[in-house]
Amino acid sequence: MRDLATKRNFRYSPRMELLFIEGLPPTVGKGGIVRLLIEVGQVNKNHIGKITLNGGLATVEVSNGRAAPLAHLLDGRLVETRHIRVWQQASEGSQPHFAQLRRWLALEAEAEKEQLQTDPQVQSEHTLARLVIRGEDVGMGGRILLQLAPRNEQARLPFSRLSTGSPVMLIEEGESQPQSWRGIISRLSRQSCEIALNQSPESAARSFRVTLANDEIARQRMERALTRVESARGDRTAVLRDIIRGEHPAAFDHGRVPANVAAYTSHLNPSQQEAVRHALAAEDIAIIHGPPGTGKTTTVAALIRTAVARGDRVLACAPSNLAVDNLAEQLVAAGVSLARLGHPARILPELQAHTLDALVERQASYYQAKKLRKQAFGLRDQAGKFRRARPTPGEKQALRAEAAQLLDEARQLEAQAIEQALDSASVILSTLTGIDSAILGQRSFDLCVIDESGQSTEPAAWIPVTRSDRLVLAGDHQQLPPTVVSRQAEEEGFGLSLMERLMRRDAAHLARRLDVQYRMNEQIMAFSSAVFYDGDLQADASVQGHLLCDLPGVAANELTATAVTFIDTAGAGYDDSQPADSDSRHNPEEAALAAKKARQLLEANVPADSIAIITPYSAQVQLLRELLPEDVRVGTVDGFQGREMEAIIISLVRSNREGQVGFLAETRRMNVALTRARRKLIVIGDSATIGSDPFYGRLLDYFDAIGAYHSVWEGLA
């Protein structure tokens, strides 16, 4: 459809404003948008300019002064089966910070694309090749589950950075014009890979490869959120934006705290209770600062339960599916009604009954929609089966028209089922970039809680803010920051999370820190407490002195009867090196020593699933996986953030004459590594390489002070 207004025939002011419309049904084109603007927005067609449709977002030019009233009239309007969201573009240059965030998003997208296309190591680490189909099944929501494995049934999958929940492309191999299908990894082991697809791949190819796909939808949602926040006027989004940007102070009213708050927080310690009360008193924004093991998720769950009891509708988010699921599990255990948004393949099996897919399927209107769809497909088949008997004039068209009408009714019933499922939930949970306007429509929430907010880039954090009256950020900015691929964006500040920025500016006013940890032996905790948390952390009596030898059946020896062991490899010639075609580092001798320590723990009857080896380097992970049984977990430090094990072995890898520490220079990464263990921490490294760094010099002094230092030449190694 041609533009309704051009420079030649536009009758009014030549200056145009931009209007954004999100959540339109796929059946609505430019003509439908024009009718919406004229019939509902009551605007003359001569005030409508260029219309662009891109990825479910419509951008509409309207004459100067028309955008604001149109946004007010149209926002939340039901179009067919969806509630649309409408907003105007902010005035040029009004919010330089948001322009910078958009620029960083563009740099990040370009860096991710270039990395996947040009970096052989990244391509290799994010691709599984020469796979064959071993089976096909139907999963939740009618999705196709495809099992793939190496052709040799005894072979293992090679190391890759792909994981459950990764968006991927399934691509034919050996075909001149290969087909591809977009899907999500729903299960991954050393022997096989399962992919969830929306359709079964009709392919005669003998083999396939699975490769990481760009998450373009996530980037689009972040960009739209930034535009909406920047252009907000006179609403809660505008208020929160201005407070977060430091233009006004955040307000607290302790009269907002329910009188019965103790009923939902009696199981918490005093610092946790104070954090909940502080968050409930927030009129705008509050922060719960949770160092490792301090029960942050438990505290957040208690906050949400209390807010629900107060009558709040709550939106709970986190950057990762695992973090969302950890929170969801606690809410389910507490009896809170919830709806977990997201692809079922990315959600823990224990929570499948609480996914939106499962809740919708239990609605009577969805059951009726399935019946109508079945009837419609039957009519379509009938219309296409006329062969010998010639149909009467118009019979085919009538059958297809009836089928179309039934499908339209089915879509409306499905939309009704979604509304019913969402309305029945007190809490809606989603990853930050999983918040979908096509599902949520114009829904707004009294409270938004973002868990693990220190791991989120700022643009992602703004997505739920556009739907919320109040905001609580929970996390720890002293652990790993958001992952940023673009070096330029990282250097300019893209790795600074919204939580960290607010903590730097106004921690005393906004935040409450949790100070009792329930994970680590006191000796494992003490160094991180001193360096990162002002020495304020305390070990609860239940964990203060616990050791591996306290576990049933575990033999007591020098490894299991102590909390911390450092093995110094200085002078042993354990040099780190760079594998061919890799930017990572490995240290074969150190890997062998780490594997030896793991075997010694196993010989002492420490359960294999209680032991993990972590390292900053993916090449070292690959080496270690070849040396250890599958039930001993091996992974990068980054991959273990938010997790814990009874025994953790850390392989530092770096050992060189130049004293180069590489990734180890990010001390927050080491804070994560040092705080994953509950009862036993073993660190293996070269003191001559790391000791010149002030942080590691202090760490070595601590190991020496508590009697944990050992040389590789001693019998313990």
Side-chain angles (χ1 to χ4, degrees), residues 254 271 274-275 278-279 287-290 507-514:
H254 288 277
S271 70
E274 169 57 22
H278 179 69
I287 296 174
I288 296 175
H289 180 195
H509 181 57
L510 294 176
R512 294 294 181 269
R513 181 194 286 169
L514 310 182

Side-chain angles (χ1 to χ4, degrees), residues 438-457:
I439 293 173
L440 290 181
Q442 201 193 12
R443 274 183 173 76
S444 61
F445 299 85
D446 302 295
L447 174 67
C448 170
V449 179
I450 303 179
D451 199 6
E452 302 294 358
S453 56
Q455 298 177 42
S456 167
T457 59

Side-chain angles (χ1 to χ4, degrees), residues 171-191:
I171 305 171
E172 294 177 327
E173 290 182 324
E175 303 294 317
S176 57
Q177 294 183 321
Q179 297 185 80
S180 62
W181 299 265
R182 184 176 288 271
I184 289 172
I185 293 181
S186 52
R187 191 173 300 153
L188 188 63
S189 70
R190 293 191 181 182
Q191 284 77 34

